[in-house]
Amino acid sequence: EAFSGLVACGGFSYGDVLGAGSGWARSILFNPRLRDQFAAFFARPDAFALGVCNGCQMLSQLKPIIPGADAWPRFRRNRCEQFEARLVNVEILESPSLFFRGMAGSLVPVPVAHGEGRVEFASAEDAATISRQGLAALRYVDHRGQPTDQYPLNPNGSPGGLTGLTTPDGRVTILMPHPERAFRSIQLSYAPPDCARHAEGPWLRFFQNAREWVG
């Protein structure tokens, strides 16, 4: 009740195997007291939540208690059948997410580090719902800025490069890449010269947006 935001981080919970976020999510869903507390938090219009990597897997499985998340997918084993840690390029899509305000259309590099990041929808209807409601927030792109299924530009095989989603009100966002590892330009293995001169990385805006939203 005392918190405005919840951030579920990456960190290889359960070894990032066998449904890495599942144990984390079930420890909430199968405990009536915790489930009620989290459900009340997600329902608050003045609260926000972010899930990154394992936290993305976790929140995707808490969708029964997250308003507007009914059509979210689960995140399965990478199609390459191995852990992937690399710098990839993503496109920020137009979405309601409070984190991505003013960032739509940007093509930016971001680190990934996961073994289970492939989007898998429960049904074609769910995938259509995400598209229709504009809840896709982030996708992998190639060097031409086009969405890609090609490995390793798409490290896990998610269809259409999808790797980030949000809720209709934009308060809860999940994504597989790690923006917290690239909020300074020096954290990137490459940056154009005009960007490399600045201390701030392209992902700092992502966190500033959350701070501004809280007020």
Side-chain angles (χ1 to χ4, degrees), residues 124-172:
E125 183 180 351
D126 281 352
T129 297
I130 293 297
S131 177
R132 184 174 62 254
Q133 296 184 357
L135 304 184
L138 201 66
R139 64 185 177 185
Y140 301 116
V141 295
D142 61 20
H143 59 286
R144 294 187 177 90
Q146 298 301 309
T148 183
D149 295 340
Q150 181 181 349
Y151 175 86
L153 305 177
N154 177 330
N156 51 50
S158 291
L162 182 61
T163 190
L165 302 102
T166 191
T167 50
D169 62 8
R171 292 188 301 107
V172 185

mmCIF file of all heavy atoms in Angstrom, residues 124-172:
data_model
loop_
_atom_site.group_PDB
_atom_site.id
_atom_site.type_symbol
_atom_site.label_atom_id
_atom_site.label_comp_id
_atom_site.label_asym_id
_atom_site.label_seq_id
_atom_site.Cartn_x
_atom_site.Cartn_y
_atom_site.Cartn_z
ATOM 1 N N ALA A 124 -4.398 -17.629 -31.360
ATOM 2 C CA ALA A 124 -4.308 -16.590 -32.388
ATOM 3 C C ALA A 124 -5.176 -15.390 -32.017
ATOM 4 O O ALA A 124 -4.856 -14.249 -32.344
ATOM 5 C CB ALA A 124 -4.745 -17.157 -33.737
ATOM 6 N N GLU A 125 -6.257 -15.655 -31.292
ATOM 7 C CA GLU A 125 -7.146 -14.577 -30.851
ATOM 8 C C GLU A 125 -6.429 -13.630 -29.897
ATOM 9 O O GLU A 125 -6.597 -12.407 -29.972
ATOM 10 C CB GLU A 125 -8.379 -15.162 -30.185
ATOM 11 C CG GLU A 125 -9.394 -14.117 -29.747
ATOM 12 C CD GLU A 125 -10.616 -14.718 -29.087
ATOM 13 O OE1 GLU A 125 -10.768 -15.956 -29.121
ATOM 14 O OE2 GLU A 125 -11.420 -13.954 -28.532
ATOM 15 N N ASP A 126 -5.616 -14.192 -28.982
ATOM 16 C CA ASP A 126 -4.864 -13.349 -28.058
ATOM 17 C C ASP A 126 -3.874 -12.465 -28.813
ATOM 18 O O ASP A 126 -3.714 -11.282 -28.518
ATOM 19 C CB ASP A 126 -4.116 -14.209 -27.040
ATOM 20 C CG ASP A 126 -5.017 -14.711 -25.932
ATOM 21 O OD1 ASP A 126 -6.176 -14.271 -25.864
ATOM 22 O OD2 ASP A 126 -4.557 -15.551 -25.119
ATOM 23 N N ALA A 127 -3.176 -13.059 -29.795
ATOM 24 C CA ALA A 127 -2.223 -12.287 -30.591
ATOM 25 C C ALA A 127 -2.930 -11.155 -31.323
ATOM 26 O O ALA A 127 -2.419 -10.030 -31.402
ATOM 27 C CB ALA A 127 -1.513 -13.201 -31.589
ATOM 28 N N ALA A 128 -4.126 -11.440 -31.841
ATOM 29 C CA ALA A 128 -4.894 -10.427 -32.548
ATOM 30 C C ALA A 128 -5.351 -9.319 -31.596
ATOM 31 O O ALA A 128 -5.382 -8.142 -31.968
ATOM 32 C CB ALA A 128 -6.107 -11.065 -33.228
ATOM 33 N N THR A 129 -5.681 -9.692 -30.368
ATOM 34 C CA THR A 129 -6.101 -8.706 -29.368
ATOM 35 C C THR A 129 -4.972 -7.733 -29.060
ATOM 36 O O THR A 129 -5.184 -6.517 -28.966
ATOM 37 C CB THR A 129 -6.560 -9.409 -28.084
ATOM 38 O OG1 THR A 129 -7.705 -10.210 -28.368
ATOM 39 C CG2 THR A 129 -6.911 -8.397 -26.999
ATOM 40 N N ILE A 130 -3.757 -8.266 -28.888
ATOM 41 C CA ILE A 130 -2.593 -7.420 -28.620
ATOM 42 C C ILE A 130 -2.386 -6.427 -29.750
ATOM 43 O O ILE A 130 -2.134 -5.233 -29.522
ATOM 44 C CB ILE A 130 -1.332 -8.293 -28.425
ATOM 45 C CG1 ILE A 130 -1.440 -9.118 -27.143
ATOM 46 C CG2 ILE A 130 -0.080 -7.422 -28.409
ATOM 47 C CD1 ILE A 130 -1.509 -8.319 -25.873
ATOM 48 N N SER A 131 -2.504 -6.898 -30.973
ATOM 49 C CA SER A 131 -2.329 -6.030 -32.138
ATOM 50 C C SER A 131 -3.449 -4.999 -32.229
ATOM 51 O O SER A 131 -3.193 -3.803 -32.440
ATOM 52 C CB SER A 131 -2.287 -6.886 -33.408
ATOM 53 O OG SER A 131 -2.182 -6.070 -34.555
ATOM 54 N N ARG A 132 -4.669 -5.437 -32.047
ATOM 55 C CA ARG A 132 -5.828 -4.554 -32.188
ATOM 56 C C ARG A 132 -5.835 -3.450 -31.143
ATOM 57 O O ARG A 132 -6.182 -2.308 -31.427
ATOM 58 C CB ARG A 132 -7.109 -5.382 -32.083
ATOM 59 C CG ARG A 132 -8.388 -4.584 -32.306
ATOM 60 C CD ARG A 132 -9.618 -5.466 -32.334
ATOM 61 N NE ARG A 132 -9.837 -6.163 -31.074
ATOM 62 C CZ ARG A 132 -9.618 -7.457 -30.878
ATOM 63 N NH1 ARG A 132 -9.159 -8.211 -31.862
ATOM 64 N NH2 ARG A 132 -9.856 -8.023 -29.715
ATOM 65 N N GLN A 133 -5.413 -3.774 -29.920
ATOM 66 C CA GLN A 133 -5.422 -2.797 -28.838
ATOM 67 C C GLN A 133 -4.135 -1.971 -28.758
ATOM 68 O O GLN A 133 -4.021 -1.085 -27.919
ATOM 69 C CB GLN A 133 -5.673 -3.501 -27.503
ATOM 70 C CG GLN A 133 -7.030 -4.158 -27.399
ATOM 71 C CD GLN A 133 -7.289 -4.756 -26.028
ATOM 72 O OE1 GLN A 133 -6.433 -4.730 -25.134
ATOM 73 N NE2 GLN A 133 -8.482 -5.292 -25.844
ATOM 74 N N GLY A 134 -3.170 -2.276 -29.628
ATOM 75 C CA GLY A 134 -1.918 -1.518 -29.637
ATOM 76 C C GLY A 134 -1.083 -1.727 -28.390
ATOM 77 O O GLY A 134 -0.455 -0.784 -27.886
ATOM 78 N N LEU A 135 -1.037 -2.970 -27.887
ATOM 79 C CA LEU A 135 -0.338 -3.259 -26.636
ATOM 80 C C LEU A 135 1.086 -3.764 -26.854
ATOM 81 O O LEU A 135 1.807 -4.006 -25.881
ATOM 82 C CB LEU A 135 -1.132 -4.285 -25.814
ATOM 83 C CG LEU A 135 -2.581 -3.895 -25.495
ATOM 84 C CD1 LEU A 135 -3.224 -4.938 -24.588
ATOM 85 C CD2 LEU A 135 -2.643 -2.510 -24.862
ATOM 86 N N ALA A 136 1.501 -3.936 -28.107
ATOM 87 C CA ALA A 136 2.893 -4.282 -28.398
ATOM 88 C C ALA A 136 3.737 -3.019 -28.237
ATOM 89 O O ALA A 136 3.444 -1.987 -28.846
ATOM 90 C CB ALA A 136 3.021 -4.834 -29.811
ATOM 91 N N ALA A 137 4.774 -3.093 -27.415
ATOM 92 C CA ALA A 137 5.557 -1.893 -27.099
ATOM 93 C C ALA A 137 6.967 -1.909 -27.673
ATOM 94 O O ALA A 137 7.581 -0.849 -27.837
ATOM 95 C CB ALA A 137 5.638 -1.720 -25.577
ATOM 96 N N LEU A 138 7.474 -3.100 -27.993
ATOM 97 C CA LEU A 138 8.890 -3.205 -28.367
ATOM 98 C C LEU A 138 9.073 -4.417 -29.273
ATOM 99 O O LEU A 138 8.454 -5.471 -29.041
ATOM 100 C CB LEU A 138 9.734 -3.377 -27.098
ATOM 101 C CG LEU A 138 11.220 -3.036 -27.139
ATOM 102 C CD1 LEU A 138 11.423 -1.542 -27.361
ATOM 103 C CD2 LEU A 138 11.887 -3.457 -25.825
ATOM 104 N N ARG A 139 9.944 -4.294 -30.299
ATOM 105 C CA ARG A 139 10.234 -5.449 -31.151
ATOM 106 C C ARG A 139 11.663 -5.378 -31.676
ATOM 107 O O ARG A 139 12.232 -4.293 -31.841
ATOM 108 C CB ARG A 139 9.247 -5.523 -32.315
ATOM 109 C CG ARG A 139 9.297 -4.366 -33.291
ATOM 110 C CD ARG A 139 8.189 -4.497 -34.342
ATOM 111 N NE ARG A 139 8.162 -3.358 -35.255
ATOM 112 C CZ ARG A 139 7.233 -3.187 -36.190
ATOM 113 N NH1 ARG A 139 6.259 -4.069 -36.323
ATOM 114 N NH2 ARG A 139 7.272 -2.131 -36.997
ATOM 115 N N TYR A 140 12.242 -6.554 -31.923
ATOM 116 C CA TYR A 140 13.584 -6.647 -32.496
ATOM 117 C C TYR A 140 13.541 -6.245 -33.962
ATOM 118 O O TYR A 140 12.599 -6.595 -34.690
ATOM 119 C CB TYR A 140 14.112 -8.074 -32.396
ATOM 120 C CG TYR A 140 14.196 -8.618 -30.993
ATOM 121 C CD1 TYR A 140 13.415 -9.699 -30.604
ATOM 122 C CD2 TYR A 140 15.061 -8.061 -30.052
ATOM 123 C CE1 TYR A 140 13.486 -10.213 -29.324
ATOM 124 C CE2 TYR A 140 15.138 -8.560 -28.763
ATOM 125 C CZ TYR A 140 14.349 -9.635 -28.403
ATOM 126 O OH TYR A 140 14.415 -10.138 -27.130
ATOM 127 N N VAL A 141 14.569 -5.511 -34.396
ATOM 128 C CA VAL A 141 14.651 -5.094 -35.794
ATOM 129 C C VAL A 141 16.032 -5.401 -36.354
ATOM 130 O O VAL A 141 17.001 -5.609 -35.611
ATOM 131 C CB VAL A 141 14.357 -3.575 -35.955
ATOM 132 C CG1 VAL A 141 12.925 -3.265 -35.568
ATOM 133 C CG2 VAL A 141 15.335 -2.733 -35.129
ATOM 134 N N ASP A 142 16.103 -5.423 -37.690
ATOM 135 C CA ASP A 142 17.384 -5.653 -38.345
ATOM 136 C C ASP A 142 18.096 -4.330 -38.596
ATOM 137 O O ASP A 142 17.650 -3.276 -38.128
ATOM 138 C CB ASP A 142 17.187 -6.444 -39.643
ATOM 139 C CG ASP A 142 16.300 -5.714 -40.660
ATOM 140 O OD1 ASP A 142 16.144 -4.471 -40.560
ATOM 141 O OD2 ASP A 142 15.764 -6.387 -41.565
ATOM 142 N N HIS A 143 19.192 -4.381 -39.353
ATOM 143 C CA HIS A 143 19.979 -3.162 -39.575
ATOM 144 C C HIS A 143 19.270 -2.157 -40.472
ATOM 145 O O HIS A 143 19.723 -1.016 -40.597
ATOM 146 C CB HIS A 143 21.340 -3.530 -40.173
ATOM 147 C CG HIS A 143 21.256 -4.265 -41.470
ATOM 148 N ND1 HIS A 143 20.878 -5.587 -41.549
ATOM 149 C CD2 HIS A 143 21.474 -3.861 -42.745
ATOM 150 C CE1 HIS A 143 20.888 -5.974 -42.812
ATOM 151 N NE2 HIS A 143 21.248 -4.944 -43.556
ATOM 152 N N ARG A 144 18.157 -2.565 -41.074
ATOM 153 C CA ARG A 144 17.353 -1.627 -41.869
ATOM 154 C C ARG A 144 16.178 -1.071 -41.063
ATOM 155 O O ARG A 144 15.364 -0.325 -41.584
ATOM 156 C CB ARG A 144 16.830 -2.316 -43.133
ATOM 157 C CG ARG A 144 17.914 -2.709 -44.132
ATOM 158 C CD ARG A 144 17.288 -3.226 -45.413
ATOM 159 N NE ARG A 144 18.299 -3.547 -46.407
ATOM 160 C CZ ARG A 144 18.883 -4.729 -46.534
ATOM 161 N NH1 ARG A 144 18.543 -5.713 -45.705
ATOM 162 N NH2 ARG A 144 19.786 -4.949 -47.461
ATOM 163 N N GLY A 145 16.075 -1.494 -39.802
ATOM 164 C CA GLY A 145 14.991 -1.025 -38.958
ATOM 165 C C GLY A 145 13.693 -1.773 -39.166
ATOM 166 O O GLY A 145 12.635 -1.313 -38.729
ATOM 167 N N GLN A 146 13.763 -2.954 -39.807
ATOM 168 C CA GLN A 146 12.571 -3.748 -40.074
ATOM 169 C C GLN A 146 12.433 -4.866 -39.041
ATOM 170 O O GLN A 146 13.438 -5.455 -38.625
ATOM 171 C CB GLN A 146 12.641 -4.361 -41.475
ATOM 172 C CG GLN A 146 12.684 -3.332 -42.590
ATOM 173 C CD GLN A 146 11.480 -2.422 -42.570
ATOM 174 O OE1 GLN A 146 10.343 -2.869 -42.529
ATOM 175 N NE2 GLN A 146 11.729 -1.107 -42.586
ATOM 176 N N PRO A 147 11.205 -5.167 -38.598
ATOM 177 C CA PRO A 147 11.023 -6.260 -37.642
ATOM 178 C C PRO A 147 11.580 -7.560 -38.207
ATOM 179 O O PRO A 147 11.456 -7.823 -39.413
ATOM 180 C CB PRO A 147 9.506 -6.334 -37.454
ATOM 181 C CG PRO A 147 8.932 -5.626 -38.645
ATOM 182 C CD PRO A 147 9.925 -4.581 -39.014
ATOM 183 N N THR A 148 12.206 -8.365 -37.360
ATOM 184 C CA THR A 148 12.895 -9.546 -37.861
ATOM 185 C C THR A 148 12.679 -10.780 -36.989
ATOM 186 O O THR A 148 12.537 -10.672 -35.774
ATOM 187 C CB THR A 148 14.413 -9.263 -37.973
ATOM 188 O OG1 THR A 148 15.080 -10.393 -38.530
ATOM 189 C CG2 THR A 148 15.022 -8.949 -36.612
ATOM 190 N N ASP A 149 12.643 -11.930 -37.657
ATOM 191 C CA ASP A 149 12.639 -13.229 -36.986
ATOM 192 C C ASP A 149 14.008 -13.889 -37.105
ATOM 193 O O ASP A 149 14.214 -14.984 -36.608
ATOM 194 C CB ASP A 149 11.587 -14.157 -37.618
ATOM 195 C CG ASP A 149 10.171 -13.656 -37.409
ATOM 196 O OD1 ASP A 149 9.947 -12.841 -36.494
ATOM 197 O OD2 ASP A 149 9.283 -14.082 -38.167
ATOM 198 N N GLN A 150 14.942 -13.214 -37.783
ATOM 199 C CA GLN A 150 16.231 -13.807 -38.098
ATOM 200 C C GLN A 150 17.169 -13.810 -36.895
ATOM 201 O O GLN A 150 17.367 -12.793 -36.234
ATOM 202 C CB GLN A 150 16.893 -13.052 -39.254
ATOM 203 C CG GLN A 150 18.237 -13.613 -39.684
ATOM 204 C CD GLN A 150 18.869 -12.820 -40.815
ATOM 205 O OE1 GLN A 150 18.210 -11.973 -41.423
ATOM 206 N NE2 GLN A 150 20.135 -13.072 -41.085
ATOM 207 N N TYR A 151 17.752 -14.960 -36.620
ATOM 208 C CA TYR A 151 18.756 -15.095 -35.564
ATOM 209 C C TYR A 151 20.111 -14.663 -36.113
ATOM 210 O O TYR A 151 20.406 -14.935 -37.264
ATOM 211 C CB TYR A 151 18.807 -16.563 -35.120
ATOM 212 C CG TYR A 151 19.874 -16.879 -34.114
ATOM 213 C CD1 TYR A 151 19.641 -16.699 -32.754
ATOM 214 C CD2 TYR A 151 21.108 -17.353 -34.526
ATOM 215 C CE1 TYR A 151 20.630 -16.987 -31.827
ATOM 216 C CE2 TYR A 151 22.105 -17.639 -33.601
ATOM 217 C CZ TYR A 151 21.867 -17.456 -32.258
ATOM 218 O OH TYR A 151 22.846 -17.729 -31.340
ATOM 219 N N PRO A 152 20.952 -13.968 -35.353
ATOM 220 C CA PRO A 152 20.813 -13.578 -33.940
ATOM 221 C C PRO A 152 20.232 -12.176 -33.735
ATOM 222 O O PRO A 152 20.211 -11.689 -32.624
ATOM 223 C CB PRO A 152 22.255 -13.632 -33.453
ATOM 224 C CG PRO A 152 23.053 -13.143 -34.631
ATOM 225 C CD PRO A 152 22.328 -13.692 -35.849
ATOM 226 N N LEU A 153 19.792 -11.517 -34.833
ATOM 227 C CA LEU A 153 19.189 -10.187 -34.681
ATOM 228 C C LEU A 153 17.959 -10.270 -33.786
ATOM 229 O O LEU A 153 17.683 -9.370 -32.998
ATOM 230 C CB LEU A 153 18.807 -9.620 -36.049
ATOM 231 C CG LEU A 153 19.937 -9.549 -37.085
ATOM 232 C CD1 LEU A 153 19.414 -9.053 -38.416
ATOM 233 C CD2 LEU A 153 21.062 -8.654 -36.582
ATOM 234 N N ASN A 154 17.236 -11.365 -33.925
ATOM 235 C CA ASN A 154 16.164 -11.736 -33.001
ATOM 236 C C ASN A 154 16.712 -12.911 -32.200
ATOM 237 O O ASN A 154 16.831 -14.020 -32.717
ATOM 238 C CB ASN A 154 14.921 -12.142 -33.792
ATOM 239 C CG ASN A 154 13.769 -12.602 -32.926
ATOM 240 O OD1 ASN A 154 13.967 -13.143 -31.850
ATOM 241 N ND2 ASN A 154 12.562 -12.438 -33.432
ATOM 242 N N PRO A 155 17.090 -12.723 -30.954
ATOM 243 C CA PRO A 155 17.846 -13.744 -30.219
ATOM 244 C C PRO A 155 17.042 -14.950 -29.761
ATOM 245 O O PRO A 155 17.628 -15.957 -29.362
ATOM 246 C CB PRO A 155 18.389 -12.976 -29.007
ATOM 247 C CG PRO A 155 17.397 -11.893 -28.780
ATOM 248 C CD PRO A 155 16.924 -11.489 -30.149
ATOM 249 N N ASN A 156 15.701 -14.854 -29.805
ATOM 250 C CA ASN A 156 14.917 -15.956 -29.237
ATOM 251 C C ASN A 156 13.865 -16.541 -30.169
ATOM 252 O O ASN A 156 13.267 -17.566 -29.858
ATOM 253 C CB ASN A 156 14.243 -15.514 -27.939
ATOM 254 C CG ASN A 156 13.474 -14.212 -28.095
ATOM 255 O OD1 ASN A 156 12.679 -14.063 -29.010
ATOM 256 N ND2 ASN A 156 13.720 -13.249 -27.204
ATOM 257 N N GLY A 157 13.615 -15.908 -31.310
ATOM 258 C CA GLY A 157 12.648 -16.441 -32.252
ATOM 259 C C GLY A 157 11.230 -15.950 -32.067
ATOM 260 O O GLY A 157 10.294 -16.495 -32.656
ATOM 261 N N SER A 158 11.022 -14.911 -31.266
ATOM 262 C CA SER A 158 9.675 -14.375 -31.079
ATOM 263 C C SER A 158 9.100 -13.916 -32.415
ATOM 264 O O SER A 158 9.770 -13.192 -33.158
ATOM 265 C CB SER A 158 9.689 -13.194 -30.111
ATOM 266 O OG SER A 158 9.985 -13.607 -28.801
ATOM 267 N N PRO A 159 7.868 -14.321 -32.754
ATOM 268 C CA PRO A 159 7.283 -13.938 -34.040
ATOM 269 C C PRO A 159 7.141 -12.426 -34.173
ATOM 270 O O PRO A 159 6.698 -11.745 -33.255
ATOM 271 C CB PRO A 159 5.905 -14.621 -34.022
ATOM 272 C CG PRO A 159 5.630 -14.893 -32.574
ATOM 273 C CD PRO A 159 6.955 -15.136 -31.944
ATOM 274 N N GLY A 160 7.578 -11.926 -35.333
ATOM 275 C CA GLY A 160 7.510 -10.493 -35.569
ATOM 276 C C GLY A 160 8.466 -9.688 -34.726
ATOM 277 O O GLY A 160 8.406 -8.462 -34.701
ATOM 278 N N GLY A 161 9.367 -10.381 -34.005
ATOM 279 C CA GLY A 161 10.341 -9.689 -33.156
ATOM 280 C C GLY A 161 9.764 -9.154 -31.867
ATOM 281 O O GLY A 161 10.444 -8.431 -31.125
ATOM 282 N N LEU A 162 8.525 -9.502 -31.546
ATOM 283 C CA LEU A 162 7.864 -8.948 -30.363
ATOM 284 C C LEU A 162 8.632 -9.272 -29.084
ATOM 285 O O LEU A 162 8.960 -10.423 -28.807
ATOM 286 C CB LEU A 162 6.442 -9.501 -30.257
ATOM 287 C CG LEU A 162 5.591 -8.978 -29.097
ATOM 288 C CD1 LEU A 162 5.397 -7.467 -29.212
ATOM 289 C CD2 LEU A 162 4.242 -9.694 -29.072
ATOM 290 N N THR A 163 8.916 -8.240 -28.283
ATOM 291 C CA THR A 163 9.672 -8.475 -27.055
ATOM 292 C C THR A 163 9.275 -7.546 -25.910
ATOM 293 O O THR A 163 9.928 -7.500 -24.886
ATOM 294 C CB THR A 163 11.187 -8.351 -27.325
ATOM 295 O OG1 THR A 163 11.919 -8.811 -26.190
ATOM 296 C CG2 THR A 163 11.578 -6.914 -27.666
ATOM 297 N N GLY A 164 8.188 -6.806 -26.063
ATOM 298 C CA GLY A 164 7.699 -5.949 -24.987
ATOM 299 C C GLY A 164 6.222 -5.676 -25.155
ATOM 300 O O GLY A 164 5.753 -5.479 -26.281
ATOM 301 N N LEU A 165 5.483 -5.694 -24.036
ATOM 302 C CA LEU A 165 4.040 -5.463 -24.077
ATOM 303 C C LEU A 165 3.620 -4.596 -22.906
ATOM 304 O O LEU A 165 4.353 -4.447 -21.931
ATOM 305 C CB LEU A 165 3.270 -6.791 -24.024
ATOM 306 C CG LEU A 165 3.568 -7.806 -25.117
ATOM 307 C CD1 LEU A 165 4.477 -8.894 -24.576
ATOM 308 C CD2 LEU A 165 2.290 -8.413 -25.665
ATOM 309 N N THR A 166 2.410 -4.061 -23.007
ATOM 310 C CA THR A 166 1.882 -3.243 -21.925
ATOM 311 C C THR A 166 0.380 -3.502 -21.778
ATOM 312 O O THR A 166 -0.179 -4.337 -22.488
ATOM 313 C CB THR A 166 2.169 -1.751 -22.187
ATOM 314 O OG1 THR A 166 1.872 -0.989 -21.019
ATOM 315 C CG2 THR A 166 1.366 -1.226 -23.363
ATOM 316 N N THR A 167 -0.233 -2.808 -20.851
ATOM 317 C CA THR A 167 -1.673 -2.913 -20.622
ATOM 318 C C THR A 167 -2.373 -1.726 -21.280
ATOM 319 O O THR A 167 -1.728 -0.729 -21.619
ATOM 320 C CB THR A 167 -1.978 -2.926 -19.114
ATOM 321 O OG1 THR A 167 -1.298 -1.824 -18.482
ATOM 322 C CG2 THR A 167 -1.503 -4.226 -18.472
ATOM 323 N N PRO A 168 -3.688 -1.789 -21.458
ATOM 324 C CA PRO A 168 -4.394 -0.688 -22.126
ATOM 325 C C PRO A 168 -4.217 0.664 -21.462
ATOM 326 O O PRO A 168 -4.228 1.702 -22.137
ATOM 327 C CB PRO A 168 -5.862 -1.135 -22.083
ATOM 328 C CG PRO A 168 -5.789 -2.630 -22.087
ATOM 329 C CD PRO A 168 -4.587 -2.957 -21.245
ATOM 330 N N ASP A 169 -4.048 0.705 -20.140
ATOM 331 C CA ASP A 169 -3.829 1.986 -19.459
ATOM 332 C C ASP A 169 -2.353 2.343 -19.352
ATOM 333 O O ASP A 169 -2.001 3.416 -18.852
ATOM 334 C CB ASP A 169 -4.491 2.004 -18.078
ATOM 335 C CG ASP A 169 -3.933 0.954 -17.126
ATOM 336 O OD1 ASP A 169 -2.924 0.292 -17.471
ATOM 337 O OD2 ASP A 169 -4.507 0.786 -16.035
ATOM 338 N N GLY A 170 -1.469 1.444 -19.808
ATOM 339 C CA GLY A 170 -0.036 1.731 -19.840
ATOM 340 C C GLY A 170 0.673 1.660 -18.509
ATOM 341 O O GLY A 170 1.864 1.969 -18.428
ATOM 342 N N ARG A 171 -0.019 1.243 -17.446
ATOM 343 C CA ARG A 171 0.618 1.245 -16.127
ATOM 344 C C ARG A 171 1.536 0.051 -15.878
ATOM 345 O O ARG A 171 2.414 0.115 -15.037
ATOM 346 C CB ARG A 171 -0.449 1.276 -15.020
ATOM 347 C CG ARG A 171 -1.229 2.568 -14.942
ATOM 348 C CD ARG A 171 -2.132 2.595 -13.716
ATOM 349 N NE ARG A 171 -3.097 1.498 -13.687
ATOM 350 C CZ ARG A 171 -3.015 0.454 -12.884
ATOM 351 N NH1 ARG A 171 -2.018 0.321 -12.031
ATOM 352 N NH2 ARG A 171 -3.954 -0.491 -12.923
ATOM 353 N N VAL A 172 1.305 -1.047 -16.577
ATOM 354 C CA VAL A 172 2.122 -2.245 -16.381
ATOM 355 C C VAL A 172 2.772 -2.613 -17.707
ATOM 356 O O VAL A 172 2.087 -2.773 -18.720
ATOM 357 C CB VAL A 172 1.283 -3.428 -15.858
ATOM 358 C CG1 VAL A 172 2.189 -4.622 -15.556
ATOM 359 C CG2 VAL A 172 0.501 -3.031 -14.611
#
